[in-house]
Amino acid sequence: MTWLVPLLVLVPLLGAAVALGLLRHQELQRAITVAVLAIAVVVAGTLMVLVDQHGTFVVQVGGWQAPYGISLVVDRLSALLLTVSASVLLLVLLFSIGQGLAADDEDAPVTIFYPTYLVLAAGVLDAFMAGDLFNLYVAFEMLLVASYVLITLGGSEQRVRAGTTYIITSLIASALFLASIGLVYGATGTVNIAQISERVAGLPEHVQLLLHTMLLIAFGIKAAVFPLAFWLPDSYPTAPAPVTAVFAGLLTKVGIYAIIRLETIIFPRPQLNTILLVVAVLTMIVGVLGAVSQTDVKRLLSFTLISHIGFMVMGVGLGSVVGTAAAVFYTVHHIVVQTTLFLVSGVMERVGGTTSTRSLGGLLKAAPLLAALYLVPAFNLGGIPPFSGFIGKLGLFRAAAIDGSPMAWGTVGAGVVTSLLTLYALMRVWDAAFWRPRPAAEAAAPHATTAEPHADLRSPEPAPLTVSEETGEAYHPGGSTTVTDEAHASSASRPATGSTATVGEAPERPRLPRMLVAVTTVAVLGSVALTVVAGPLYGYATRAAESLESPDRYVQAVLGGTVE
């Protein structure tokens, strides 16, 4: 069944090529993209079962045996992340279709959205299977080039500015990674991860430290750990809601995955474990303090994304099977829950017209279902029992307690503080957006969204206005209340909520977009399902960690055949 492995890269790339050739047939583009990602979900899920039963699958591309050829390796860790990533990619795609991002935005280059999204998918999936550092670099570049297009979709000034920061930072990380690969090849004579693992122990200590540090910094930028996460809060919130969701859920996790491989296969010795724990603490605390200070939902979620990356780094830094297992479980949890929260914020933006907590309000009464959809993943991310967030953090704290070192206990303290402040920040959004009545001024003249929603989707045409020759003010024909030019400009850029409000009138109850709500509900149910299957999932993560803590298994699978 090893023939299934390359399909996860080939099918999305072929689908992207076909979709690109159908520039004038967006319905066909859409159907092809959905079909391709559905196939990826089925293939990844099948591999997850087969790998757990039969051991690591290895494909030597082109028949060239390792270390001379390109190795695609799927072990338990890869299979688990492939399944979760393919599922998230499909779910976010359906959300984007419901939002109208890919088909209804006149300002965006819509003909390239679907093929670009498939290239992004191919890059993410390839990164999780890369058996050599250069193929991992190619996968990074594939997903990054696609992300450059998606993050600037619509070409607004705000997005181009944020995209420039993202691009420059990514290029620096890629250049550092490429330089590291060159040094690794110069020192070991190979870029195959399994062969590097065999040869690196024979290098002088200072050479190992240099290579280890350079690779860790390159992966740390991509994973957005402190102090290398400065680019993320200004880049992600400006993108369309589906793009932000998939970026938050997957792109930083590719960096985490690379760090896990680095610390367990390439450099299994605890050379930088203490530094990793220090970085984990700083990432947690700085990230969550940034979240607490935000008044925009997307920026707040971007900072919580950074802070919770610290939990995964904590598990890796503990350098034990229980720590790595908890980190793997928490990675899966965070992919699903963080993506779900960004999808919910997209619906909030669609209904409320903004993601600013200063302008939102009254959504509990206007959209009670949306309130429930927000509350469940918020509790989950905050670590409230019995959700998967609590289970993952409990596993990490248990691993730290087993370690018993002062630094390990310090990470426990930082984790508890981060969890409490995360819950506080998310509940403050709940109070402002759902519980508190909408400010009177906002209800009368709603603001445009902070992320420029008019570049995300096209709203129905507003009711025509007539300009008074005497006062120069605009008013609705048949209505006695005037609307200033400023208010008209704001409402024209606001996403449709099913009603048009004028000064002095209470807005009608908004209609929730059915497909957006349906997809978001599936995402929320998926986050709850992690709690239901937490036992088997944690067991799978533990078996994956046991394989990772025995690098000889990986080496034998790649260089000598399939092993249990």
Side-chain angles (χ1 to χ4, degrees), residues 68-277:
Y68 306 105
I70 297 174
S71 301
L72 297 180
V73 185
V74 178
D75 59 4
R76 289 187 178 94
L77 174 62
S78 297
L80 177 60
L81 293 180
L82 286 169
T83 303
V84 176
S85 299
S87 302
V88 166
L89 284 163
L90 177 59
L91 199 64
V92 173
L93 174 69
L94 295 176
F95 185 94
S96 73
I97 292 173
Q99 188 194 45
L101 168 66
D104 297 333
D105 184 1
E106 292 180 333
D107 298 325
V110 296
T111 54
I112 63 171
F113 173 79
Y114 292 116
T116 303
Y117 193 82
L118 286 177
V119 171
L120 178 78
V124 171
L125 299 178
D126 187 27
F128 290 138
M129 297 187 295
D132 65 78
L133 289 180
F134 191 75
N135 189 27
L136 181 60
Y137 170 79
V138 171
F140 277 163
E141 292 309 295
M142 205 167 14
L143 67 91
L144 287 174
V145 168
S147 66
Y148 299 158
V149 177
L150 294 175
I151 203 169
T152 56
L153 196 65
S156 68
E157 180 181 352
Q158 186 181 15
R159 288 182 184 170
V160 171
R161 187 185 304 112
T164 300
T165 301
Y166 176 79
I167 291 170
I168 292 174
T169 304
S170 298
L171 288 176
I172 291 173
S174 296
L176 181 60
F177 186 22
L178 189 60
S180 303
I181 293 174
L183 292 176
V184 169
Y185 183 79
T188 64
T190 183
V191 293
N192 184 278
I193 292 175
Q195 198 166 38
I196 293 172
S197 179
E198 284 188 320
R199 296 181 177 182
V200 74
L203 298 176
E205 186 74 20
H206 67 279
V207 175
Q208 291 187 47
L209 182 61
L210 173 64
L211 299 178
H212 195 174
T213 302
M214 288 186 66
L215 287 170
L216 190 60
I217 292 174
F219 296 151
I221 296 174
K222 296 179 184 297
V225 301
F226 180 85
L228 307 173
F230 59 89
W231 54 271
L232 192 149
D234 290 329
S235 300
Y236 283 11
T238 62
V243 174
T244 303
V246 78
F247 280 18
L250 296 181
L251 296 197
T252 53
K253 307 313 180 299
V254 174
I256 289 294
Y257 168 82
I259 290 176
I260 293 175
R261 288 290 186 203
L262 179 68
E263 298 301 321
T264 57
I265 303 296
I266 301 178
F267 293 99
R269 296 171 54 199
Q271 193 175 33
L272 298 178
N273 282 13
T274 301
I275 293 177
L276 283 173
L277 292 179

Side-chain angles (χ1 to χ4, degrees), residues 181-472:
I181 293 174
L183 292 176
V184 169
Y185 183 79
T188 64
T190 183
V191 293
N192 184 278
I193 292 175
Q195 198 166 38
I196 293 172
S197 179
E198 284 188 320
R199 296 181 177 182
V200 74
L203 298 176
E205 186 74 20
H206 67 279
V207 175
Q208 291 187 47
L209 182 61
L210 173 64
L211 299 178
H212 195 174
T213 302
M214 288 186 66
L215 287 170
L216 190 60
I217 292 174
F219 296 151
I221 296 174
K222 296 179 184 297
V225 301
F226 180 85
L228 307 173
F230 59 89
W231 54 271
L232 192 149
D234 290 329
S235 300
Y236 283 11
T238 62
V243 174
T244 303
V246 78
F247 280 18
L250 296 181
L251 296 197
T252 53
K253 307 313 180 299
V254 174
I256 289 294
Y257 168 82
I259 290 176
I260 293 175
R261 288 290 186 203
L262 179 68
E263 298 301 321
T264 57
I265 303 296
I266 301 178
F267 293 99
R269 296 171 54 199
Q271 193 175 33
L272 298 178
N273 282 13
T274 301
I275 293 177
L276 283 173
L277 292 179
V278 172
V279 168
V281 170
L282 293 174
T283 303
M284 290 182 202
I285 298 300
V286 174
V288 80
L289 290 178
V292 169
S293 65
Q294 299 305 309
T295 58
D296 180 83
V297 178
K298 285 186 176 181
R299 283 186 61 84
L300 184 150
L301 292 177
S302 296
F303 276 101
T304 63
L305 167 61
I306 294 171
S307 67
H308 286 252
I309 291 294
F311 284 101
M312 301 165 223
V313 177
M314 168 187 172
V316 177
L318 290 171
S320 62
V321 172
V322 287
T324 304
V328 171
F329 180 88
Y330 201 84
T331 300
V332 174
H333 148 81
H334 197 256
I335 289 174
V336 176
V337 174
Q338 194 77 46
T339 301
T340 301
L341 279 170
F342 272 103
L343 293 181
V344 173
S345 72
V347 181
M348 291 170 61
E349 183 178 34
R350 181 76 167 90
V351 173
T354 181
T355 53
S356 172
T357 55
R358 295 175 178 175
S359 303
L360 287 170
L363 291 182
L364 178 60
K365 183 177 180 180
L369 176 58
L370 179 58
L373 293 177
Y374 173 84
L375 202 57
V376 172
F379 281 163
N380 202 338
L381 189 66
I384 297 296
F387 291 113
S388 57
F390 172 78
I391 296 171
K393 290 170 185 174
L394 188 62
L396 289 168
F397 295 163
R398 175 175 171 268
I402 292 174
D403 183 280
S405 66
M407 193 64 238
W409 282 111
T411 60
V412 173
V416 171
V417 171
T418 300
S419 297
L420 293 175
L421 289 179
T422 298
L423 191 61
Y424 165 74
L426 294 174
M427 289 304 98
R428 196 177 64 176
V429 172
W430 164 268
D431 176 69
F434 294 95
W435 190 258
R436 184 192 67 184
R438 188 175 183 123
E442 302 298 332
H447 291 289
T449 67
T450 57
E452 299 185 18
H454 56 283
D456 292 347
L457 42 89
R458 188 178 63 206
S459 303
E461 289 297 325
L465 298 176
T466 301
V467 178
S468 170
E469 296 181 357
E470 297 179 2
T471 64

